[in-house]
Amino acid sequence: MPTLLIKHAQVLVTMDEQRREIADGALFVRDNLIEQVGATAELPQTADEVLDLSGHVVLPGLVNTHHHMYQSLTRVVPAAQNCELFDWLRALYLLWARLTPEMVYVSALTAMAELMLSGCTTASDHLYIFPNGCRLDDEIRAAQEIGLRFHASRGSMSLGQSKGGLPPDSVVEDEEAILRDSRRLIETYHDASRNAMLRIVVAPCSPFSVTQDLMRESAKLARSYGVRLHTHLAENLNDVAYSKAQFGLEPADYAEDAGWVGEDVWHAHCVHLSEKGIRLFARTGTGVAHCPSSNMRLASGIAPVRRMRDSGVRVGLGVDGSASNDTGHLLAEARQALLLARVQGNPGAMTAREALEIATRGGASVLGREDIGYLAPGMAADFIAIALDRLGFAGGLHDPVAALVFCAPATVDYSVINGRVVVREGQLATVELGAVLERHNKLAGQLVRGD
């Protein structure tokens, strides 16, 4: 089995139970697992490949718990630049109705590349619109090619405008077809084993785009296979008002009524989760994907992350859709989470290390992973390295770990996923990024113009 030695890291941030930060740190990897962690002098001095990371911070790979990768094709569309959530969706649904399988595949490669270069080693994506023969398989192919650890969420919309939903009827699906395809994907791709590179998630889109019946049937289906559940919840005040008007329930009560609470469930946003809802999520082990940039971009509000964490709610980080964030830089999202937590007047509402914890251990917990999120023997070999000799960190090396969050967001110099070096000296090692971007921009133009 091949071995990899990482040595002389200026700081090795383990995020283990003791939250150790090891000076002159090292990792020894055999095949796809971490075998040893410690000071360089304490570990083997040879391996099949040796990387001297003097002057770098090494930390666990970041975990992205919510995204819509296809939306990288519709960044900064003028009609949607200054909208709240519902109007933003109405402006973009008809563009997304033109998606093709190639667009889904190429946009996934682009979004995954952006995530990986910003420190992400595991990502969940929520694809919920399937026109013109598009399938979740198109994203899965991209993940397998680029080398990202991937949780592919089979989203869905079944409640069109004619039945009281938000999306146009032209972009919704038949519910039996949704459930049938979800079964196919689970049976074809889902890997429940430890260190799995690919898992499937069942993920109806939102209370305003699917029926209660589909929510309940999706929960039954997922639990019959032992896979996780994901959706949007309480994203903005209009979202909350819709739940109250249509169901007579606040969002958390709606989720509970539909069977959507528990350790196998996580909800995106939860900006307007009530105190009662926070207690419900804490009691049931329900997770939350915190997406600060998207929530700010769409003027949705500030999620009560401090209260959630203090109550015991599991919280991970998400970059959300590239058309409601307009970037997919996960380390930048950690910085945004820190700043947004403090903006209401409490400078101690989140620390730099807590932001990194949410982006690593927090995300792993939300996705139900016990094999990623921190660096220790027996864990998957997913980690990143960032050089400190760059302009953005100048004057901030008194605490290089905090500098990763407080200073200008950096891209990674090295990324290892499942024991494989996928970013080397700041460059993707698995795909030719220039060709991907050229094709992506052509497809984005065609999609928006309607060619």
Side-chain angles (χ1 to χ4, degrees):
M1 294 183 288
T3 56
L4 171 66
L5 174 64
I6 307 298
K7 65 179 184 178
H8 294 310
Q10 183 162 329
V11 184
L12 177 69
V13 182
T14 65
M15 282 293 170
D16 63 10
E17 293 300 321
Q18 294 76 39
R19 303 300 192 269
R20 289 183 302 155
E21 297 177 5
I22 303 171
D24 192 20
L27 290 170
F28 187 81
V29 174
R30 190 179 302 276
D31 197 14
N32 64 338
L33 297 178
I34 296 171
E35 196 169 276
Q36 296 183 55
V37 179
T40 297
E42 300 170 352
L43 266 64
Q45 299 301 300
T46 61
D48 294 320
E49 181 175 5
V50 179
L51 295 177
D52 187 327
L53 294 182
S54 302
H56 292 69
V57 175
V58 173
L59 63 158
L62 309 184
V63 180
N64 180 37
T65 62
H66 185 67
H67 205 355
H68 307 293
M69 293 179 177
Y70 73 89
Q71 291 180 13
S72 61
L73 294 161
T74 52
R75 286 173 166 161
V76 298
V77 170
Q81 286 182 13
N82 304 308
C83 299
E84 60 78 41
L85 175 64
F86 280 21
D87 288 341
W88 176 86
L89 284 167
R90 291 186 185 102
L92 292 172
Y93 277 139
L94 296 181
L95 295 183
W96 298 336
R98 302 170 186 161
L99 285 168
T100 65
E102 183 188 13
M103 290 176 179
V104 171
Y105 164 70
V106 174
S107 63
L109 276 179
T110 301
M112 291 172 185
E114 186 174 19
L115 285 170
M116 290 165 67
L117 289 168
S118 68
C120 180
T121 56
T122 298
S124 176
D125 189 62
H126 191 188
L127 180 62
Y128 57 79
I129 188 167
F130 295 90
N132 310 312
C134 295
R135 302 193 305 167
L136 193 59
D137 309 61
D138 303 318
E139 285 194 339
I140 290 170
R141 177 163 67 100
Q144 291 172 333
E145 290 180 10
I146 204 168
L148 180 69
R149 199 179 297 275
F150 193 45
H151 285 228
S153 298
R154 205 303 181 180
S156 55
M157 297 192 295
S158 67
L159 190 68
Q161 288 177 349
S162 66
K163 296 180 180 179
L166 190 71
D169 290 353
S170 60
V171 298
V172 302
E173 297 178 90
D174 173 76
E175 294 190 352
E176 281 303 316
I178 291 166
L179 295 169
R180 185 166 57 249
D181 192 49
S182 298
R183 290 189 198 95
R184 176 189 69 83
L185 289 161
I186 295 167
E187 293 174 357
T188 303
Y189 294 111
H190 184 69
D191 183 355
S193 66
R194 186 175 175 87
N195 307 315
M197 288 293 290
L198 177 61
R199 289 183 178 169
I200 301 298
V201 179
V202 177
C205 186
S206 62
F208 52 81
S209 61
V210 299
T211 67
Q212 288 176 294
D213 284 344
L214 182 61
M215 292 291 286
R216 295 188 179 103
E217 290 303 313
S218 294
K220 291 178 184 176
L221 172 68
R223 288 174 176 138
S224 73
Y225 283 99
V227 305
R228 298 180 81 77
L229 291 157
H230 181 53
T231 192
H232 298 84
L233 196 76
E235 184 169 353
N236 76 353
L237 291 175
N238 286 334
D239 190 357
V240 175
Y242 183 92
S243 289
K244 290 180 176 178
Q246 295 296 317
F247 314 118
L249 297 168
E250 69 169 65
D253 291 335
Y254 168 84
E256 183 178 33
D257 183 65
W260 276 71
V261 294
E263 293 183 356
D264 57 351
V265 181
W266 86 100
H267 297 273
H269 302 295
C270 297
V271 174
H272 296 283
L273 196 65
S274 67
E275 292 299 325
K276 177 185 175 185
I278 291 173
R279 292 194 299 272
L280 171 66
F281 278 27
R283 185 173 69 251
T284 57
T286 307
V288 171
H290 177 40
C291 306
S293 293
S294 175
N295 297 157
M296 297 168 73
R297 158 79 150 82
L298 297 177
S300 297
I302 303 172
V305 171
R306 180 73 275 153
R307 297 203 304 279
M308 289 180 190
R309 284 177 57 84
D310 289 346
S311 299
V313 177
R314 294 178 298 116
V315 179
L317 199 61
V319 299
D320 198 17
S322 293
S324 67
N325 182 336
D326 303 293
T327 184
H329 195 301
L330 193 51
L331 188 57
E333 205 68 28
R335 182 176 191 267
Q336 200 73 280
L338 176 141
L339 297 176
L340 190 59
R342 296 179 173 202
V343 76
Q344 291 179 306
N346 178 7
M350 186 178 294
T351 68
R353 284 168 172 79
E354 186 175 16
L356 289 174
E357 179 180 297
I358 291 170
T360 53
R361 291 184 68 109
S365 176
V366 163
L367 295 185
R369 304 291 302 232
E370 298 178 350
D371 50 359
I372 61 172
Y374 62 96
L375 305 179
M379 298 294 285
D382 290 10
F383 52 89
I384 58 175
I386 298 173
L388 295 168
D389 61 345
R390 59 181 79 201
L391 180 62
F393 295 145
L397 301 186
H398 329 288
D399 185 348
V401 178
L404 297 179
V405 180
F406 278 106
C407 298
T411 53
V412 300
D413 293 275
Y414 289 89
S415 177
V416 174
I417 302 178
N418 207 41
R420 176 190 185 193
V421 180
V422 295
V423 176
R424 188 183 296 273
E425 296 181 353
Q427 301 297 314
L428 275 171
T430 53
V431 298
E432 176 52 55
L433 187 55
V436 172
L437 294 180
E438 182 179 2
R439 186 61 183 154
H440 182 272
N441 284 325
K442 287 181 180 178
L443 291 170
Q446 292 172 12
L447 180 67
V448 173
R449 291 191 304 267
D451 294 356

